[in-house]
Amino acid sequence: MKQCLALAGIVLGLVMTAWAQPATPLHAKVTVNYQGMPFADALADLGKRADVDFAFAHKTLAGLDPVTLAMDNVEAGRVAMRMLRPRGLKLEKMDGRLVAVVKADPFDEIRPQRE
């Protein structure tokens, strides 16, 4: 009986700790509708909606195709990854509100295959 109570206390403590953690800005729910918007503008708009500062080298975003994406009430991090991954980019080094956008490793890139 004592072991069950101890285990229940540990589980409850873990649940309370996980629940009490502050949400990062990328967990904020956003609604976006980008129809042919330039990539840098779409990233800036997402940053404003989620209160996140995306840091990137301008040469990293040079020549990327426009964003066409519509998502309703989704976490900002998921929206960002839907925009970044097909273009060979990823998020790195979250420090408060600052997130770095960098090139993904070639082995991590996801490229859709045309039929």
CSV table of all heavy atoms in Angstrom, one decimal, residues 26 55 81 84 90-95 98-105:
chain,number,residue,atom,x,y,z
A,26,LEU,N,6.5,29.4,-29.4
A,26,LEU,CA,6.1,28.6,-30.5
A,26,LEU,C,4.9,27.7,-30.2
A,26,LEU,O,4.4,27.0,-31.1
A,26,LEU,CB,7.3,27.7,-31.0
A,26,LEU,CG,8.4,28.5,-31.6
A,26,LEU,CD1,9.6,27.6,-31.9
A,26,LEU,CD2,8.0,29.2,-32.9
A,55,ALA,N,15.6,34.8,-36.2
A,55,ALA,CA,16.9,35.3,-36.7
A,55,ALA,C,17.4,34.5,-37.8
A,55,ALA,O,17.4,33.2,-37.7
A,55,ALA,CB,17.9,35.3,-35.5
A,81,MET,N,7.5,25.0,-39.2
A,81,MET,CA,8.1,23.8,-39.7
A,81,MET,C,7.5,23.4,-41.1
A,81,MET,O,8.2,22.9,-42.0
A,81,MET,CB,8.0,22.6,-38.8
A,81,MET,CG,8.8,22.8,-37.5
A,81,MET,SD,10.5,23.3,-37.9
A,81,MET,CE,11.2,21.9,-38.7
A,84,LEU,N,9.3,25.7,-43.4
A,84,LEU,CA,10.8,25.5,-43.4
A,84,LEU,C,11.2,24.2,-44.0
A,84,LEU,O,12.2,24.2,-44.8
A,84,LEU,CB,11.4,25.7,-42.0
A,84,LEU,CG,11.2,27.1,-41.4
A,84,LEU,CD1,11.6,27.0,-39.9
A,84,LEU,CD2,12.0,28.1,-42.1
A,90,LYS,N,15.6,24.6,-41.0
A,90,LYS,CA,15.1,24.2,-39.7
A,90,LYS,C,15.3,25.3,-38.6
A,90,LYS,O,15.9,26.2,-38.9
A,90,LYS,CB,15.8,22.9,-39.2
A,90,LYS,CG,17.3,23.1,-38.9
A,90,LYS,CD,17.9,21.8,-38.4
A,90,LYS,CE,19.4,22.0,-38.1
A,90,LYS,NZ,20.0,20.8,-37.5
A,91,LEU,N,14.6,25.1,-37.5
A,91,LEU,CA,14.7,26.0,-36.3
A,91,LEU,C,15.8,25.5,-35.4
A,91,LEU,O,15.9,24.3,-35.2
A,91,LEU,CB,13.4,26.1,-35.6
A,91,LEU,CG,12.2,26.7,-36.4
A,91,LEU,CD1,11.0,26.7,-35.6
A,91,LEU,CD2,12.6,28.1,-36.9
A,92,GLU,N,16.5,26.4,-34.7
A,92,GLU,CA,17.6,26.0,-33.9
A,92,GLU,C,17.7,27.1,-32.8
A,92,GLU,O,17.4,28.2,-33.0
A,92,GLU,CB,18.9,25.9,-34.7
A,92,GLU,CG,20.0,25.2,-34.0
A,92,GLU,CD,21.1,25.0,-34.9
A,92,GLU,OE1,21.9,25.9,-35.1
A,92,GLU,OE2,21.2,23.9,-35.5
A,93,LYS,N,18.2,26.7,-31.6
A,93,LYS,CA,18.7,27.6,-30.5
A,93,LYS,C,17.6,28.5,-30.1
A,93,LYS,O,17.6,29.7,-30.2
A,93,LYS,CB,19.9,28.4,-30.9
A,93,LYS,CG,21.1,27.6,-31.2
A,93,LYS,CD,22.2,28.5,-31.6
A,93,LYS,CE,23.4,27.7,-32.0
A,93,LYS,NZ,24.5,28.4,-32.5
A,94,MET,N,16.5,27.9,-29.5
A,94,MET,CA,15.5,28.8,-28.9
A,94,MET,C,15.9,29.3,-27.6
A,94,MET,O,16.3,28.6,-26.7
A,94,MET,CB,14.2,28.0,-28.7
A,94,MET,CG,13.1,28.8,-28.1
A,94,MET,SD,11.6,28.4,-28.8
A,94,MET,CE,10.6,29.6,-28.0
A,95,ASP,N,15.9,30.6,-27.5
A,95,ASP,CA,16.4,31.3,-26.2
A,95,ASP,C,15.3,32.4,-25.9
A,95,ASP,O,15.4,33.5,-26.4
A,95,ASP,CB,17.7,31.9,-26.4
A,95,ASP,CG,18.2,32.5,-25.1
A,95,ASP,OD1,17.8,32.1,-24.0
A,95,ASP,OD2,19.1,33.4,-25.2
A,98,LEU,N,13.8,34.3,-29.0
A,98,LEU,CA,14.7,34.3,-30.2
A,98,LEU,C,14.9,32.9,-30.7
A,98,LEU,O,15.2,31.9,-30.0
A,98,LEU,CB,16.0,34.9,-29.8
A,98,LEU,CG,17.0,35.0,-31.0
A,98,LEU,CD1,16.5,36.0,-32.0
A,98,LEU,CD2,18.3,35.5,-30.4
A,99,VAL,N,14.6,32.7,-32.0
A,99,VAL,CA,14.8,31.4,-32.7
A,99,VAL,C,15.6,31.6,-33.9
A,99,VAL,O,15.3,32.5,-34.7
A,99,VAL,CB,13.4,30.8,-33.1
A,99,VAL,CG1,13.6,29.4,-33.7
A,99,VAL,CG2,12.5,30.6,-31.8
A,100,ALA,N,16.6,30.7,-34.1
A,100,ALA,CA,17.4,30.8,-35.3
A,100,ALA,C,16.9,29.9,-36.4
A,100,ALA,O,16.5,28.8,-36.2
A,100,ALA,CB,18.9,30.5,-35.0
A,101,VAL,N,16.9,30.5,-37.7
A,101,VAL,CA,16.5,29.7,-38.8
A,101,VAL,C,17.8,29.4,-39.6
A,101,VAL,O,18.6,30.3,-39.9
A,101,VAL,CB,15.6,30.5,-39.8
A,101,VAL,CG1,15.3,29.7,-41.0
A,101,VAL,CG2,14.3,30.8,-39.0
A,102,VAL,N,18.1,28.1,-39.7
A,102,VAL,CA,19.4,27.6,-40.3
A,102,VAL,C,19.1,26.6,-41.4
A,102,VAL,O,18.0,26.0,-41.4
A,102,VAL,CB,20.4,27.1,-39.3
A,102,VAL,CG1,20.8,28.2,-38.3
A,102,VAL,CG2,19.8,25.9,-38.6
A,103,LYS,N,20.1,26.3,-42.2
A,103,LYS,CA,20.0,25.2,-43.2
A,103,LYS,C,20.0,23.9,-42.5
A,103,LYS,O,20.8,23.7,-41.5
A,103,LYS,CB,21.2,25.3,-44.2
A,103,LYS,CG,21.2,26.4,-45.2
A,103,LYS,CD,20.4,25.9,-46.3
A,103,LYS,CE,20.5,26.9,-47.5
A,103,LYS,NZ,19.6,26.6,-48.5
A,104,ALA,N,19.1,23.0,-42.9
A,104,ALA,CA,19.1,21.7,-42.4
A,104,ALA,C,20.2,20.8,-43.0
A,104,ALA,O,20.7,21.1,-44.0
A,104,ALA,CB,17.7,21.0,-42.6
A,105,ASP,N,20.6,19.8,-42.2
A,105,ASP,CA,21.6,18.9,-42.8
A,105,ASP,C,21.0,18.2,-44.0
A,105,ASP,O,19.8,17.9,-44.0
A,105,ASP,CB,22.0,17.8,-41.7
A,105,ASP,CG,22.7,18.4,-40.5
A,105,ASP,OD1,23.4,19.5,-40.7
A,105,ASP,OD2,22.5,17.9,-39.4
